[in-house]
Amino acid sequence: MDLLQVDGLAKAYGSRRVLQDVSFSVAAGEVVGLVGANGAGKSTLGDVVAGRYAPDAGRMTVLGHPYAPLSAADARHLGVGAVEQLVRLDPELTVARAVCRDTELAGAPDSRVRARARAVLADVGLDLDPDQLVADVPRFVHGLVEAARVLAEDTRLVVMDEVSAALTPSEVEGLHAIARRLRSQGRGVLYISHRLPEMLAVVDRVLVLREGRIALDAPAASLEPAGLAVATLDGAVPAARPQSLPWGTSSAAPVVIPQARPAPEDSPAVVVPATTTRPEPSSDVALEVRNLRVPGSSAGIDLRLRRGEVLGLTGRRRSGLQEIAGALTGELPAQCDGVAVRGQERPVPAQPGSAPLRLAAYRPDDDAYGMDPGETIARTLTSQEWGRPEDLRSEIATLRGVIDTVHRMNVRTTSIRTVFGALSGGDQHKLALARWMAATEGDVVVVHEPTRGLDLRSRREVRRLLDDVTAHGRSVVVVSVDPDELTDVCDRIGVVADGRVEEWLDTHEMTLPDVRARILGAVATPA
């Protein structure tokens, strides 16, 4: 008897059919991978199984008994738990209480909760103090704490939805240890991920969801990452070096990727000629920082960022990477010996607690990416008021630009009147990044994990976005621990260790597999 049986599941949001006649099973002691392009319906399927949404049609059973949860809490009561990518843990809880919440030990004395949490954390190799407050635990660890919780609770099936998206290789191993422990206990796991090589390393079977239907159900041993990528995209794998999109920025312009053709004279869109390939960065220096250091954390680094360059920074969790990123954006007090912008020296504040730099930063962390989930795509992608009769021509040009952006970014929607919150997570990410990049001023910006949680096609679209931004003179610092992401989008990559850049990797002079292998070796072992 299968642990979970799903038959004929269907789910729609308005006119958009997200799931159509989905049927599959998960056996006891089995880890099943679920993959698919952004917008294919993976997270919706996981949410239905985990009780967050009710299906429009279909039937589910758990151990042969009808399963129709009314909520996520009801699903846990019926034996199905979930771990989300963006976990929101109560910062006032201790790690032990966070691990044991929603279990029979939730109201137990501290000593029992602490002992259980310590055992669970040791099982999966998480070196955390059970008495530490969640507020004092780095944000990226929350997903692992939540994943450890499922070992402590009495669930038969666990849905893991993109939990590994922001984890280093060593942290992914901790997540896999949890999945393997669940398997050894006879429980089932539905493992949702875009990171295909790592997913194939832990799952027994793979389901490919395409256009809301199960398109492939095959043993993991019979698959390899490249072929699986083809299956998720229906055979359409993008070229490694796609053409660049036309791109322009203006604080007063609608936030769109304009078409490379003449616009009406009074159109507020900024139109620039399309570029065909991404050139190597200019020799002109956009930003130079000498001996940047965060008191108590960073030993000090020198940065020279060329005009039109995408420069990556990576490192282990305790390498000082995040402190350096915080110093660049002014979020952490820092000191430096000098700052030059476009060759011009800038005054450096000498007082303690100052911020010599305040670069704009993008982080894909917030719910709905900081956008209003109830606002339409059209309104989300414009930065000015419109609707007055005298603005008709301008409004038409703006809406054409919005439509063009939606098509070029391959957003799955039937209308620009669709609300932002109804889009898939990947489509929300792409549009939010495009809007932020267009609306943000500054020659140099910092972007954290620009392709996190995106499928292969969407990663290439973000790559084109960055290519076009830099082709027109801006420079980008990418902060990430994902070797594939860094290899895909960066010209140079600095590997941070002990608060300094240990080595620079030039992607124009090395093969991409060699770059990836060097990054992987640098961030694979915990500090």
Side-chain angles (χ1 to χ4, degrees), residues 11-308:
K11 180 66 178 178
Y13 297 111
S15 61
R16 179 172 169 246
R17 292 187 294 175
V18 182
L19 300 176
Q20 305 179 58
D21 194 26
V22 173
S23 299
F24 69 96
S25 63
V26 178
E30 184 180 35
V31 180
V32 176
L34 178 63
V35 301
N38 289 119
K42 303 182 304 301
S43 290
T44 297
L45 180 55
D47 286 340
V48 169
V49 172
R52 295 190 189 93
Y53 301 130
D56 298 330
R59 178 174 181 267
M60 296 186 289
T61 62
V62 172
L63 291 174
H65 300 289
Y67 172 69
L70 302 176
S71 64
D74 191 29
R76 286 194 299 272
H77 178 73
L78 296 172
V80 178
V83 184
E84 300 177 78
Q85 176 183 344
L86 296 177
V87 181
R88 296 288 182 263
L89 298 179
D90 184 346
E92 299 303 316
L93 291 176
T94 64
V95 169
R97 290 288 176 185
V99 169
C100 294
R101 80 183 200 284
D102 298 326
T103 74
E104 75 281 358
L105 291 176
D110 286 345
S111 58
R112 290 186 60 198
V113 173
R114 185 183 302 111
R116 176 60 173 153
R118 184 175 286 115
V120 169
L121 294 170
D123 278 347
V124 298
L126 267 179
D127 183 19
L128 290 176
D129 179 358
D131 293 325
Q132 188 176 11
L133 287 177
V134 167
D136 298 327
V137 173
R139 181 74 179 80
F140 60 83
V141 177
H142 290 193
L144 288 174
V145 171
E146 184 72 351
R149 177 184 59 80
V150 301
L151 287 175
E153 69 179 5
D154 187 23
T155 51
R156 301 301 306 163
L157 176 75
V158 177
V159 178
M160 293 185 173
D161 188 1
E162 294 285 2
V163 182
S164 69
L167 300 182
T168 67
S170 61
E171 292 158 359
V172 169
E173 277 304 310
L175 181 66
H176 286 183
I178 293 172
R180 294 186 183 105
R181 177 58 62 92
L182 292 168
R183 174 201 284 146
S184 71
Q185 293 173 346
R187 299 199 249 181
V189 177
L190 186 62
Y191 188 104
I192 304 172
S193 179
H194 281 301
R195 294 167 64 166
L196 303 185
E198 74 171 33
M199 186 270 301
L200 287 173
V202 72
V203 304
D204 303 298
R205 190 159 50 92
V206 177
L207 305 174
V208 174
L209 194 63
R210 195 165 64 226
E211 302 295 337
R213 301 176 185 272
I214 300 295
L216 178 70
D217 183 342
S222 68
L223 301 170
E224 45 84 29
L228 188 54
V230 172
T232 63
L233 298 174
D234 198 16
V237 179
R241 292 282 179 177
Q243 289 191 338
S244 174
L245 294 177
W247 181 255
T249 62
S250 169
S251 60
V255 184
V256 299
I257 300 177
Q259 305 174 49
R261 60 172 180 263
E265 189 173 285
D266 58 352
S267 169
V270 176
V271 180
V272 294
T275 54
T276 54
T277 58
R278 178 182 176 184
E280 289 200 23
S282 165
S283 59
D284 297 338
V285 177
L287 175 68
E288 181 177 4
V289 187
R290 298 184 294 278
N291 195 23
L292 178 68
R293 57 203 182 275
V294 176
S297 298
S298 177
I301 67 166
D302 297 323
L303 285 180
R304 284 175 61 89
L305 185 61
R306 293 172 290 174
R307 185 172 180 268

Side-chain angles (χ1 to χ4, degrees), residues 429-498:
H429 177 105
K430 289 186 293 185
L431 291 183
L433 178 59
R435 175 188 166 90
W436 182 88
M437 195 69 77
T440 301
E441 297 182 347
D443 293 333
V444 181
V445 295
V446 177
V447 178
H448 291 253
E449 301 167 337
T451 67
R452 189 179 79 184
L454 298 184
D455 63 43
L456 181 60
R457 179 183 287 123
S458 294
R459 289 171 78 107
R460 298 302 188 195
E461 288 157 359
V462 169
R463 163 67 183 271
R464 288 187 298 188
L465 177 62
L466 295 180
D467 281 357
D468 210 73
V469 166
T470 54
H472 294 93
R474 299 178 83 181
S475 303
V476 180
V477 178
V478 171
V479 181
S480 176
V481 295
D482 183 347
D484 292 321
E485 177 173 64
L486 291 159
T487 303
D488 280 348
V489 305
C490 297
D491 297 298
R492 282 189 302 143
I493 302 159
V495 179
V496 178
D498 298 324

Side-chain angles (χ1 to χ4, degrees), residues 291-301 320-328 331-336 354 356 499:
N291 195 23
L292 178 68
R293 57 203 182 275
V294 176
S297 298
S298 177
I301 67 166
L321 172 65
Q322 295 303 323
E323 288 79 7
I324 290 170
L328 289 173
E331 296 162 284
L332 291 177
Q335 299 170 335
C336 70
S354 61

